[in-house]
Amino acid sequence: MSPGLAFAQAEALLDEGKSLMKKGKVAEACPKLEESYRLSPRSATLLALAMCHEKQGKVATAWSEYIDLGAAARKEGNKRLEADAKARGAKLELSLPRLTLSVPRAAAIEGLEVTLDGAPVDGALWGQARPIDPGQHKVSASAPGRKPWEKSVTIKRGERKTVAVPALAKDASAAAQPAPAAEAPAPAAPEKGSAGAGDGAAEPGKGAAGAGRGAAAPEKGAVAAAPGKGAAGPGKAAAGPETDAPPAAPPAAEEQEPSSGSSPRHTGSFVIQAGVAGGALIGLMDSGSFGDLSAYSYSYNIPEGELIAPCDDEVCHASFDPAIGPFAGGEAFIGVALSEDLHLGARVLGGYRFGGGYLAVGGPSVSMRLGRLWLGLSGLVGPVAQQAKVTGIKGEIPSEVVHLNYGRSEVAVNAREGSLPESALVETLAFGGSVDVSLVLADLPSAGWTSGALLLSVSPTIMKGLDGWVFAAPASLGYRFY
């Protein structure tokens, strides 16, 4: 086809493809744009093709085409088109599905070929997350003397999945098949000993081999070896024409198949996450104790008059102002993978509050993966403490004399001026829970123990103490080992 005719056909296909795109018929438009670009590879056509594939949902294909478009625009000096292609590609990259083909060492035998949708995958790409279009894909593996294996996997937009190739089972039928026996040539004529050209039969006493065959043993009319087979060596008797081929060796005992190794996020495997955490700790604990209160006393009315009662931890308590302060520490999760995207276990969070105090809570936790996010719920229990300002001490009035004290159930303690500490450590046992939101910063699946993901997490936490409420807003950077 002449260049002029190819350009004209490409232009017609481009116009037709754009028209179909405007009508929403992307399934019909994309093949026409592909053919147009094949006939005349131009940046304008590549832009239309990438936009068509994006509308079609083939985000990985469109992303790759935007990258190619940016490179082409750079060569052409078209900075505006280059910037546009770069922006479109960057927007798509956030929602690309990524598929990792994991090949454990036990499965990586000689001659192994792994294919994705029928296309071979180079060994250098095994274990690497690669962009792929959403939808159903087929992963296959084959090797000489092994049974082929294949698996279908469906992946959604923004999702990351790993397919582990198992160690291929031996093909027993191939192992048991005997090797083909050597071809036996026609026997030499007993009287004449002559052979046709190429048969290698010799007259008795001459041992002359036919053209292209092995030599006969001395003094005997030997049978030549078949093409491609080894001839009988000197001093050894060659197989006679009536001799049966030696039986094939029995198949070797079936070897025990090695374990294929655990797939990343494999069902039933242990999951461990550890990281550093920090955030704000807010305490609304308005009462508690700050130590020995027996040095204080309070008075209330009784039928006989006024009673001065000593304080202790049972009848007196201190009052505190709300407090807020930063804390730093760590967090951990240990559990089991119920599925690739559902983990069940226990979570702990602990840290030191700057200015005095601590946080040490833990409990059951469940995490579910949604694309690049892990969402979790945790039930927590444990001690929490904060250094807070002391506002006073109050004593309890017995219920039977409340009516003599103007209906009050407690009264301020008679504390000498300056005897109260300015602040004290208030502690409580708290119960509550947290919502955990984690962003996958880097997904690093492999067949080894380092398989996992780097996560950035925030965990808004609310807990009810025995005296008041506790709020925490921790953020953590951790690694979840699959």
Side-chain angles (χ1 to χ4, degrees):
M1 182 183 302
S2 65
L5 181 58
F7 180 82
Q9 289 187 2
E11 193 70 16
L13 288 169
L14 176 60
D15 292 340
E16 189 176 355
K18 287 182 175 180
S19 177
L20 289 170
M21 279 180 62
K22 290 180 180 179
K23 297 177 183 178
K25 300 179 180 180
V26 292
E28 300 176 31
C30 292
K32 294 186 181 297
L33 294 172
E34 288 175 358
E35 179 63 14
S36 175
Y37 186 71
R38 187 189 69 81
L39 292 171
S40 179
R42 293 180 296 159
S43 295
T45 309
L46 185 56
L47 175 60
L49 179 58
M51 293 172 64
C52 186
H53 282 144
E54 183 178 356
K55 291 182 178 181
Q56 198 177 17
K58 295 182 177 181
V59 290
T61 301
W63 172 74
S64 176
E65 289 165 345
Y66 283 133
I67 292 177
D68 293 341
L69 177 61
R74 191 181 309 115
K75 290 182 179 179
E76 296 169 1
N78 191 337
K79 294 184 178 180
R80 183 176 178 179
L81 180 58
E82 180 185 357
D84 182 51
K86 185 177 180 180
R88 290 175 181 271
K91 182 180 178 181
L92 275 186
E93 189 172 8
L94 299 175
S95 61
L96 287 180
R98 294 182 185 272
L99 182 65
T100 301
L101 301 182
S102 173
V103 182
R105 183 177 299 178
I109 60 176
E110 185 178 356
L112 178 67
E113 182 180 54
V114 180
T115 63
L116 177 60
D117 297 328
V121 179
D122 190 89
L125 300 178
W126 296 348
Q128 295 186 16
R130 51 188 292 162
I132 194 170
D133 288 327
Q136 190 175 54
H137 301 272
K138 186 172 73 172
V139 181
S140 304
S142 61
R146 303 280 176 152
K147 293 181 178 180
W149 169 89
E150 69 177 33
K151 180 179 181 179
S152 293
V153 57
T154 300
I155 192 166
K156 300 177 182 177
R157 187 164 180 159
E159 193 174 14
R160 293 188 175 222
K161 284 192 174 182
T162 297
V163 175
V165 177
L168 301 183
K170 284 186 174 295
D171 190 345
S173 60
Q177 184 177 355
E183 296 180 7
E191 296 298 329
K192 298 181 180 179
S194 59
D199 286 341
E203 292 184 9
K206 294 186 178 180
R213 304 295 182 177
E219 304 291 326
K220 301 283 184 177
V223 179
K229 308 292 181 180
K236 295 186 179 180
E242 301 299 328
T243 306
D244 292 336
E254 189 73 19
E255 295 179 7
Q256 185 176 357
E257 292 295 334
S259 170
S260 62
S262 296
S263 166
R265 301 189 295 276
H266 188 68
T267 302
S269 63
F270 285 106
V271 178
I272 299 175
Q273 178 177 332
V276 294
L281 188 61
I282 305 171
L284 302 180
M285 297 173 282
D286 55 1
S287 66
S289 176
F290 57 78
D292 187 8
L293 298 177
S294 61
Y296 302 93
S297 62
Y298 65 106
S299 62
Y300 55 87
N301 296 325
I302 60 173
E304 294 80 9
E306 184 181 28
L307 175 67
I308 298 177
C311 272
D312 59 38
D313 288 342
E314 293 185 1
V315 296
C316 293
H317 62 85
S319 301
F320 299 89
D321 275 347
I324 179 172
F327 80 94
E331 60 89 22
F333 173 90
I334 181 169
V336 66
L338 301 182
S339 70
E340 288 191 355
D341 299 320
L342 183 63
H343 296 170
L344 179 65
R347 180 172 176 267
V348 295
L349 173 66
Y352 169 78
R353 177 190 179 269
F354 296 98
Y358 59 86
L359 173 73
V361 296
S365 180
V366 60
S367 296
M368 176 179 291
R369 180 165 182 158
L370 298 173
R372 292 180 61 85
L373 292 179
W374 280 96
L375 302 181
L377 291 175
S378 301
L380 303 173
V381 59
V384 182
Q386 278 193 252
Q387 193 81 13
K389 182 179 179 180
V390 180
T391 58
I393 304 176
K394 292 183 178 181
E396 180 182 338
I397 298 176
S399 59
E400 60 269 18
V401 295
V402 166
H403 65 285
L404 300 175
N405 292 271
Y406 312 102
R408 294 177 300 177
S409 61
E410 58 183 20
V411 65
V413 169
N414 299 320
R416 297 183 304 275
E417 186 176 354
S419 65
L420 290 177
E422 183 178 349
S423 65
L425 188 69
V426 55
E427 300 175 283
T428 186
L429 182 65
F431 305 83
S434 69
V435 177
D436 312 311
V437 181
S438 302
L439 173 66
V440 178
L441 299 180
D443 201 358
L444 306 170
S446 70
W449 67 272
T450 57
S451 177
L454 182 65
L455 305 178
L456 177 63
S457 308
V458 292
S459 307
T461 302
I462 180 171
M463 305 183 74
K464 177 65 172 69
L466 298 179
D467 296 296
W469 292 85
V470 178
F471 300 91
S476 63
L477 180 66
Y479 193 84
R480 178 165 291 198
F481 296 88
Y482 297 143

